[in-house]
Amino acid sequence: MATADDVRRIALALPGAVERTAWGMPTFRAGQGGRIFASLDDDQVIGVKCPKEDREELIAAEPHKFFVREGHDDHYAWLRVRLGALDDEEELYAVLLDSWRLAAPRRLLEAHPELGGAPGS
């Protein structure tokens, strides 16, 4: 099972990632002053960037794993992930990397072509 320590270790290993506290929780940003790509809601749930058009499909396919916080995530490109439902650390990495790609500035993406472009590009 993935843990909060795994989230922190993997998130901070992504290029330019920094940790900052916001809203009383750890958040991970793509570069200094960059956009948030993950938040550690608690020891069991993370929030990640996800295109709104992809959320319904992910939630429908794996509702035990993915969800939105009603009234909070409705209008944002954000998805919640239950850490205990992830298959393994490789899946956690994939989720965090996809979110990082969505938040990272173009120059950071271009500096790390080995990580691919923005999801869907």
Side-chain angles (χ1 to χ4, degrees):
M1 177 173 99
T3 67
D5 288 339
D6 295 328
V7 171
R8 181 171 278 109
R9 178 177 45 79
I10 293 169
L12 292 175
L14 292 168
V18 295
E19 181 176 346
R20 291 231 174 98
T21 300
W23 309 288
M25 70 182 84
T27 64
F28 303 92
R29 298 168 187 262
Q32 287 288 3
R35 296 188 312 176
I36 296 171
F37 70 90
S39 65
L40 191 53
D41 295 3
D42 58 38
D43 288 343
Q44 299 173 12
V45 175
I46 60 171
V48 293
K49 293 190 73 57
C50 178
K52 287 196 287 188
E53 59 272 10
D54 295 345
R55 291 189 318 190
E56 286 184 35
E57 185 178 331
L58 288 167
I59 293 167
E62 298 183 277
H64 64 287
K65 193 177 291 186
F66 303 111
F67 68 102
V68 294
R69 284 191 355 210
E70 299 297 327
H72 182 69
D73 298 330
D74 302 338
H75 303 292
Y76 301 99
W78 209 248
L79 180 70
R80 305 296 161 163
V81 182
R82 291 179 182 92
L83 293 175
L86 293 173
D87 296 333
D88 53 27
E89 197 171 290
E90 193 171 302
E91 185 176 25
L92 175 59
Y93 173 78
V95 166
L96 290 170
L97 178 60
D98 282 348
S99 186
W100 176 87
R101 287 179 187 143
L102 289 168
R106 181 170 301 281
R107 64 176 165 63
L108 193 54
L109 291 170
E110 289 172 351
H112 297 280
E114 73 280 8
L115 297 178
S121 66

